[in-house]
Amino acid sequence: MKVILLEDVKSLGKKGDTVNVSDGYARNMLLPKKLGVEATAKNLNELKLQKAHEDKVAAQKLEEARAFAKELEDKSVTVAIKVGEGGKVFGSVSTKEIAEAAKEQLGYEIEKKKMQLSTPIKVLGTTEVPIKLHPKVTAKLKVIVKEA
């Protein structure tokens, strides 16, 4: 019996796969637990439409991420930090502070988790911070660190 999987099933396949299983396994395991549906023409067509819709949504999100990345490339955020004698910086600038500054100065809601800052910024000047907007899109935001 051909079955379309509605969820990932270990040792059988991933969601959306069409697999061939024994009648008993399908009737007693997959269908009652709503792990799959019988692969009829109607169900196959619905699966095809659903995949097309998911692809369209994914392409739209990718395009939005690219547009936002282009917008961010031109912008910069200024963050103030305390500096002692001899230009010694107290503390550091974290992703949380950069996210707050971006919201306040630019009006953009950027999640701090998306910022890929390897080490906190501990120097005055301009630093480019990579921001992962999408698995395929990474933008760079200029962060200007000034003396408070």
Side-chain angles (χ1 to χ4, degrees), residues 127-140:
T127 308
E128 284 196 347
V129 177
I131 302 171
K132 190 137 179 135
L133 300 172
H134 187 273
K136 296 178 182 174
V137 180
T138 303
K140 291 194 185 297

Side-chain angles (χ1 to χ4, degrees), residues 56-102:
K56 183 179 174 185
V57 169
Q60 185 179 5
K61 283 185 178 180
L62 177 63
E63 205 54 46
E64 287 173 1
R66 283 188 178 142
F68 188 55
K70 273 188 182 173
E71 221 173 287
L72 276 180
E73 297 288 331
D74 311 337
K75 311 276 180 171
S76 65
V77 173
T78 305
V79 180
I81 190 168
K82 287 186 179 180
V83 179
E85 291 179 27
K88 179 117 169 110
V89 177
F90 292 116
S92 61
V93 179
S94 66
T95 56
K96 181 180 178 185
E97 291 166 320
I98 296 169
E100 287 173 0

